[in-house]
Amino acid sequence: MDTLDLCKAAKTASKEIAAASTEAKNKALLVCADELVAQTSPILEANKVDVDAARGTISDVMIDRLLLTEERILGMANGMREVAALPDPVGQVYDTVVRPSGIKVEKTSVPLGVVAIIYESRPNVTSDAASLCFKSGNACVLRGGKESYNSSKAIVKALKDGLKKCGFSEDIVNLVSDLTRQSATDLMTATGLVDLLIPRGGVGLIRSCVENAKVPCIQTGTGICHIYVDESADLSMAAKIVKNAKTSRPSVCNAEEVLLVHSAVAEKFLPMLKEAIPEVELRLDSRAQAIISGTPAGENDFDTEFLDYILAVGIVDSVDEAIEHISKHSTGHSEAIITKDTESERKFLSLIDSAAVYVNASTRFTDGGEFGLGCEMGISTQKLHARGPLGLRELNTYKYIIHGDGQIR
């Protein structure tokens, strides 16, 4: 079945899932989670094919994004179970107004219809996206990267088997098999079939979707995430936070890519930093180079999402200079300030215009699960419709439902 035929099938199936009860959806999610675990062996076999093909062509960090283990598959299943336990957004009434005419106007949450997701590398996105779409009453069309196709295909088989057991159409979750650019173009231009397109991947993918999509598109985040260590910071805390933000999983979008340090504490803090993260290549501006050894920062290092053990480091003379730097170089994902000064905190929180802004905490918390939303579709770095982690509520729109008893205007 070609891409547009998959979209048509999903459009038909979207009517079924939109009308499904919360109980039926939750039961199906639990069955699908059980199927993922039951089919661990074939999923791992398919993943091995992908990983073996990718070795030598992508970095070890990116291999880690691609790799599945029994533990990670169990984590995917548990993510689906967590989504089943979350409140159903469909049918929630946000506002109710009774007008002088007697009509009752209810602003009510409803599914979008068909959600298409174009993503790269990470096969766990397949189950995350499918479960979020399903619980929020949407059908989905998934288009993963070629490097993870066999893994995604095996995961979708398990999900379809679970849906079938529960009496749902298998077309509620569809996977695109055409991995050429044409299939991505088809999804971007499937007007009337795709109600929302979510690109989840590198800057090239996101730019292509934003520039070429004729269907509604949410821009998800390239993450050039900053941490600013203020002159009043607890430096031991700062070193711990930077270590976590950079090294706990450098290949994800909420990992730190840029560190700014106030000049008043740079001579003390930068040697602490070098000792805390010896595995990280530090790309230093000229002022930082005068304090510690490292690689001189290149022209684009403060505008690069490294997704690796690399960190750009610069020195600033004030919180205002840090804010100015971040405003110029940020992608609007996640930024943090480490400080004890309430005025620096207030200014940073007020003037940093990103989806998530932290005080004395790691940027690695920008995640649907960590925010209590369950697994997420991605991190939106735009401002309209949805911002930050895309959870269940963000996969609904709303309509006005009006009750009357014979009123005419």
Side-chain angles (χ1 to χ4, degrees), residues 211-282:
E211 291 177 354
N212 298 307
K214 295 183 180 179
V215 301
C217 179
I218 288 184
Q219 183 172 343
T220 60
T222 304
I224 301 179
C225 302
H226 296 73
I227 293 180
Y228 164 58
V229 179
D230 193 34
E231 62 180 322
S232 68
D234 178 327
L235 298 186
S236 295
M237 175 198 291
K240 182 175 71 172
I241 289 173
V242 171
K243 179 179 177 66
N244 174 262
K246 180 69 259 185
T247 68
S248 62
R249 200 167 183 196
S251 63
V252 293
C253 63
N254 58 20
E256 178 194 11
E257 304 291 16
V258 177
L259 173 68
L260 301 174
V261 182
H262 195 289
S263 56
V265 296
E267 288 195 10
K268 184 175 182 180
F269 181 70
L270 289 181
M272 293 172 61
L273 171 75
K274 193 169 179 66
E275 183 177 352
I277 51 174
E279 69 272 42
V280 176
E281 178 188 347
L282 302 177

Side-chain angles (χ1 to χ4, degrees), residues 27-143:
K27 177 183 177 182
L29 282 169
L30 296 177
V31 171
C32 286
D34 290 343
E35 281 296 320
L36 272 182
V37 176
Q39 298 187 34
T40 293
S41 292
I43 293 172
L44 289 178
E45 288 173 10
N47 181 246
K48 185 177 185 302
V49 173
D50 289 334
V51 171
D52 288 347
R55 289 196 190 280
T57 63
I58 60 177
S59 69
D60 289 344
V61 169
M62 298 306 287
I63 287 287
D64 181 64
R65 284 170 67 112
L66 176 59
L67 181 66
L68 289 177
T69 63
E70 288 188 17
E71 183 180 8
R72 288 184 178 181
I73 292 172
L74 181 59
M76 290 157 55
N78 286 337
M80 298 190 76
R81 294 174 181 129
E82 289 170 6
V83 170
L86 291 171
D88 190 343
V90 179
Q92 289 189 15
V93 178
Y94 296 136
D95 296 298
T96 301
V97 177
V98 178
R99 301 296 298 149
S101 63
I103 62 169
K104 182 169 72 171
V105 182
E106 295 176 331
K107 184 179 180 180
T108 305
S109 179
V110 295
L112 289 160
V114 175
V115 178
I117 307 98
I118 303 177
Y119 55 103
E120 300 170 343
S121 296
R122 297 172 66 182
N124 64 292
V125 174
T126 304
S127 61
D128 288 356
S131 59
L132 286 167
C133 286
F134 187 82
K135 180 64 179 270
S136 58
N138 297 291
C140 65
V141 178
L142 307 169
R143 199 273 192 187

Side-chain angles (χ1 to χ4, degrees), residues 42 109 135 151 182 268 287 351 370 402:
S109 179
K135 180 64 179 270
S151 307
Q182 183 59 48
K268 184 175 182 180
R287 297 175 73 183
L351 298 179
E370 295 294 338
I402 302 93

